[in-house]
Structures are given as structure tokens and as C-alpha cells.
Amino acid sequence: MPRFAANLSMMFNELPFLERFAAARQAGFEGVEFLFPYDFPATDLRSRLNREGLSQVLFNMPPGDWSKGERGIASIPGRQAEFRESVKKALDYAAALDCRQVHCMAGITPADVPITTATAVYAANLAWAVEQAHPAGVRLLIEPINHRDMPGYFLKTQAQGAAIIEAIGRDRLGLQFDIYHVQVTEGDITRRMEQFMPLIAHMQIADVPARNEPGTGEIGWPFVFRRIDELGYQGWVGCEYRPRGETVEGLGWREAFRV
């Protein structure tokens, strides 16, 4: 049976952010993830985790200027110094929250940057970042993101991500396999899951097309969940979906799919 973590950036939005930890625990979750922790002191977040007995399973490195449409800076030339500072900041939070995996967002490649240049910058940045994270007991993750939600995002396919991981080392870099993104970009979810399972360090779910809870769209969840178990996946599965209505009312999918 998959271990589900509530994504507090997308779920329980009926409540202020710091109150979502208790709501997740009351709803039966034992782990949480979210996009970014940086608006809050790490001590405040740690206190909420401790109070509710929750595990922090994932968050993202600083993405650049989110309000201006930036979605990571790892592949963007001229931002290397800023990237290194963002790695240090993320690792400080990871230590405080006892979070062993952090997602490094690749970024949206500027139109005037050749793909070869972006690739070289990305590879060099990742190589440096894993050398900082590995001694701290943190595994960095990379996630291919679909072209519809993030046009121009550098990392697009599971095969592209897998090649980068094999080049840098699967002991230091893992694949974040988001079923929603896979379905939108490539389809053939479970075949790709089978192919890349040795590299998958974290999974996330949402239905297609609207990114709502499982059972609201086109994906065959009973088969997908069964294959996750059959393939021996032992990690967390983040519920990175937008509830169609009130979060708790939308959790009936867990019983419906017997997960």
C-alpha cells in the first residue's frame, strides 16, 4: 500500500498554512510535503511537525522570483552564484526539518539561451549541488514537468531526467516521478514507471486533465496503485493535487481505491 503524504501547498487551503499540519494529521496523513518553506522560520515548521508527529518528506529549493514566473534557476546562465546560495539555504531547512530529499527545479530556459548552454549550466550546477547535499544526508531530486503547465521548462521527459541521474550518480540524485506530469507529456504511465523504477525516489499524484484528486479524470487509478505496490516502491507518494472542493470531503478516493 502506498504511503501518502499531504501536499500542504495545494491541500487544506481552507486554513492558514501553519494550521494545515494539524488538519493533515487529523485526516490520517503521516507525512507532508509542500512547495517552499522559506516564508516561515524553520523552528516554527519543526514545531508543527513535532506537535503532530509528522514526517517532512519533500520540499523545493528556492525557485528564483516566483512572482515573475521563474520556476527554478539551475539551468539558467549567469545565476550560478545565486543557485549556490539557494542550495545552502535549502540544506539548512532540510537539516532543521529532518527532510532527506529536496527537489531542485531546473527552470524555464530563456528563449535566447541555446539548449547546449542550458544543459552545460544545469549539469555543472547539479554536480556542485549534490556534492554539498550528499555529506549532509540529503538526496537531491529532479522532476520532469509537463509542457502545458510550464511551457519552456528545461526538464521535460523521464528519459531526459534518467540520463542526467545516471551521469551524476543515482546514489546522489533521484527521479521525482509525478504521474500527472507523465500523463500530460508522455502517457503510458505504468510502462514508464516500470522502466525508471530503479531511479524513482519520490512519486506524486493528481488526475488529468484538471489536476484534481484521483478519480476525477482519465487515469485508471486502481491499476496504477496496484502497479506501484507490485513494483516494490517503498517511498512516499505526495498528493500534489488541487481538491475540487473542501479537502477532507475529497479524500474519499482513498477508500474507493482501497488505499
Side-chain angles (χ1 to χ4, degrees):
M1 179 182 298
R3 293 187 299 162
F4 294 103
N7 187 297
L8 300 186
S9 297
M10 300 183 76
M11 303 173 72
F12 302 103
N13 274 223
E14 305 87 354
L15 300 168
F17 183 77
L18 290 178
E19 295 180 20
R20 297 175 197 173
F21 292 83
R25 192 68 183 91
Q26 290 167 10
F29 291 99
E30 297 181 354
V32 296
E33 62 178 34
F34 40 68
L35 295 182
F36 310 108
Y38 312 108
D39 286 342
F40 301 91
T43 52
D44 289 357
L45 300 175
R46 178 75 261 173
S47 175
R48 299 286 172 155
L49 292 167
N50 289 346
R51 184 184 308 172
E52 306 303 332
L54 291 166
S55 297
Q56 182 71 48
V57 304
L58 184 74
F59 62 85
N60 296 337
M61 285 174 46
D65 193 334
W66 189 270
S67 67
K68 294 183 178 179
E70 292 186 343
R71 297 296 184 264
I73 59 175
S75 66
I76 300 178
R79 306 286 290 275
Q80 287 92 331
E82 181 183 350
F83 175 79
R84 292 191 175 197
E85 288 303 313
S86 75
V87 171
K88 295 174 184 177
K89 186 173 186 178
L91 292 179
D92 286 344
Y93 269 85
L97 304 181
D98 193 25
C99 184
R100 313 324 299 169
Q101 298 195 133
V102 174
H103 172 212
C104 176
M105 299 187 74
I108 296 171
T109 308
D112 61 344
V113 174
I115 190 64
T116 52
T117 301
T119 301
V121 170
Y122 187 52
N125 275 336
L126 280 179
W128 184 87
V130 298
E131 291 304 317
Q132 314 311 305
H134 187 67
V138 175
R139 190 182 194 186
L140 295 187
L141 307 185
I142 57 174
E143 178 189 25
I145 295 179
N146 81 75
H147 55 279
R148 186 176 71 198
D149 287 15
M150 286 191 192
Y153 194 76
F154 176 82
L155 191 59
K156 298 176 177 65
T157 69
Q158 306 307 305
Q160 183 188 8
I164 293 166
I165 290 167
E166 294 290 18
I168 291 179
R170 62 174 66 177
D171 61 323
R172 302 184 175 210
L173 196 61
L175 186 65
Q176 189 167 317
F177 189 94
D178 187 307
I179 289 172
Y180 168 77
H181 292 310
V182 173
Q183 176 70 352
V184 172
T185 301
E186 304 178 79
D188 216 2
I189 294 168
T190 56
R191 287 291 181 88
R192 298 188 196 286
M193 194 186 300
E194 293 164 8
Q195 180 180 1
F196 298 113
M197 185 57 72
L199 305 179
I200 296 174
H202 187 72
M203 301 184 78
Q204 291 174 319
I205 59 170
D207 218 328
V208 176
R211 205 172 189 175
N212 298 138
E213 49 265 87
T216 59
E218 67 192 37
I219 295 176
W221 291 103
F223 183 74
V224 169
F225 287 140
R226 186 167 72 249
R227 288 303 289 145
I228 291 174
D229 283 343
E230 291 171 351
L231 292 169
Y233 177 71
Q234 298 296 311
W236 290 91
V237 176
C239 299
E240 195 182 41
Y241 64 75
R242 302 184 186 96
R244 285 197 301 183
E246 197 272 339
T247 300
V248 173
E249 291 179 358
L251 290 173
W253 60 269
R254 296 183 299 183
E255 177 62 28
F257 301 133
R258 299 187 182 279
V259 294

